[in-house]
């Protein structure tokens, strides 16, 4: 069991002095046996305040050198009553696989995209005569669009937002603050790292 960070996809390096074969191994906070992505389903026990989650390891009876797997011989012993002997381990959080997994899923789903989306993404190769590069189109838009400040946002705040956000982010804020969206609800969509959180904070 581990303490936070315990988000789905978090990676840990694990070490135990009781291991005889394994120097260390990799652990992943993964989905439960029902293959659910809801983190609540992975909690141990029914305590709502519990911060302990399942940590998944790869185990092998073969050579595990430089694989990040745990040697089967280093698994904790099973006691006569069916329980597992407790084993002290040290865990170091080394990052998350969430973003690489999303990128991989996006790449393998390219074949299922509709033609016009493929043209927009790969226009430099598919239609070089009729389509500019996405970066050039983006630059043209950011250079020409002037988004007016909503009346209910202080000038100093809008100035700060204008310096730190791009025109698409500013446009989302302007539409929401001016009541141009239905029931004041807006969907912000985009790949990781495109500024969704910054837009929401703004």
């Amino acid at each position: 069991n581990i303490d936070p960070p315990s988000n789905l996809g978090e990676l840990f390096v694990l070490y135990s002095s009781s291991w005889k074969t394994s120097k260390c191994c990799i652990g992943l906070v993964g989905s439960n046996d029902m293959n659910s992505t809801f983190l609540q389903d992975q909690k141990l026990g029914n305590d709502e305040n519990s911060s302990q989650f399942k940590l998944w390891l790869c185990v092998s009876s073969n050579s595990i050198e430089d694989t990040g797997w745990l040697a089967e011989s280093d698994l904790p012993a099973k006691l006569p009553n069916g329980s597992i002997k407790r084993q002290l381990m040290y865990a170091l959080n080394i990052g998350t696989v969430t973003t690489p997994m999303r990128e991989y899923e996006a790449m393998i789903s390219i074949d299922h995209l509709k033609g016009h989306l493929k043209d927009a993404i790969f226009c430099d190769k598919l239609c070089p005569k009729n389509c500019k590069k996405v970066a050039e189109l983006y630059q043209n838009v950011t250079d020409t669009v002037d988004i007016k400040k909503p009346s209910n946002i202080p000038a100093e705040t809008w100035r700060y937002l204008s310096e730190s956000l791009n025109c698409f982010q500013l446009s989302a804020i302007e539409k929401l603050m001016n009541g141009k969206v239905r029931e004041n609800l807006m969907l912000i969509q985009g790949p990781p790292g495109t500024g969704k959180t910054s837009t929401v904070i703004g």
Side-chain angles (χ1 to χ4, degrees):
N1 301 340
I2 61 170
D3 290 326
S6 51
N7 297 318
L8 191 69
E10 291 287 342
L11 278 175
F12 290 82
V13 173
L14 304 174
Y15 165 78
S16 175
S17 59
S18 63
W19 294 345
K20 303 300 181 184
T21 304
S22 311
K23 296 179 182 178
C24 63
C25 73
I26 300 295
L28 170 71
V29 178
S31 301
N32 65 7
D33 294 337
M34 296 175 63
N35 197 30
S36 168
T37 56
F38 291 98
L39 210 55
Q40 183 68 29
D41 294 342
Q42 300 174 57
K43 287 193 173 183
L44 304 177
N46 298 319
D47 183 6
E48 290 290 333
N49 298 319
S50 173
S51 61
Q52 295 182 321
F53 288 74
K54 295 178 182 178
L55 191 64
W56 296 88
L57 310 176
C58 289
V59 180
S60 176
S61 58
N62 300 319
S63 173
I64 47 87
E65 185 177 358
D66 298 327
T67 63
W69 289 34
L70 180 68
E72 188 175 18
S73 58
D74 288 329
L75 284 172
K78 192 172 184 179
L79 301 177
N81 62 1
S83 62
I84 301 296
K85 183 179 180 181
R86 285 188 173 272
Q87 192 177 76
L88 176 64
M89 288 188 292
Y90 298 90
L92 173 66
N93 179 243
I94 57 172
T96 177
V97 297
T98 300
T99 298
M101 286 173 65
R102 288 175 178 172
E103 293 172 346
Y104 172 74
E105 289 171 354
M107 288 189 292
I108 63 175
S109 65
I110 287 175
D111 286 341
H112 302 286
L113 290 177
K114 293 185 178 180
H116 69 284
L117 291 178
K118 288 184 179 181
D119 290 346
I121 296 172
F122 306 107
C123 60
D124 188 38
K125 291 183 178 180
L126 297 182
C127 49
K129 295 182 180 180
N130 303 320
C131 185
K132 294 182 179 180
K133 293 182 180 179
V134 173
E136 293 175 350
L137 290 173
Y138 175 80
Q139 186 63 43
N140 289 339
V141 171
T142 56
D143 287 344
T144 58
V145 173
D146 181 25
I147 300 170
K148 295 182 179 180
K149 179 187 79 67
S151 59
N152 52 4
I153 295 183
E156 186 174 343
T157 301
W158 186 252
R159 189 180 307 111
Y160 172 78
L161 293 174
S162 299
E163 293 173 354
S164 57
L165 302 179
N166 62 44
C167 69
F168 301 104
Q169 294 168 311
L170 288 173
S171 176
I173 296 173
E174 183 270 334
K175 288 178 181 178
L176 186 63
M177 297 304 292
N178 281 332
K180 297 179 180 178
V181 294
R182 185 175 181 180
E183 297 181 1
N184 289 327
L185 185 64
M186 174 177 285
L187 173 65
I188 300 177
Q189 185 178 10
T194 53
K196 298 183 296 296
T197 302
S198 298
T199 305
V200 173
I201 293 174

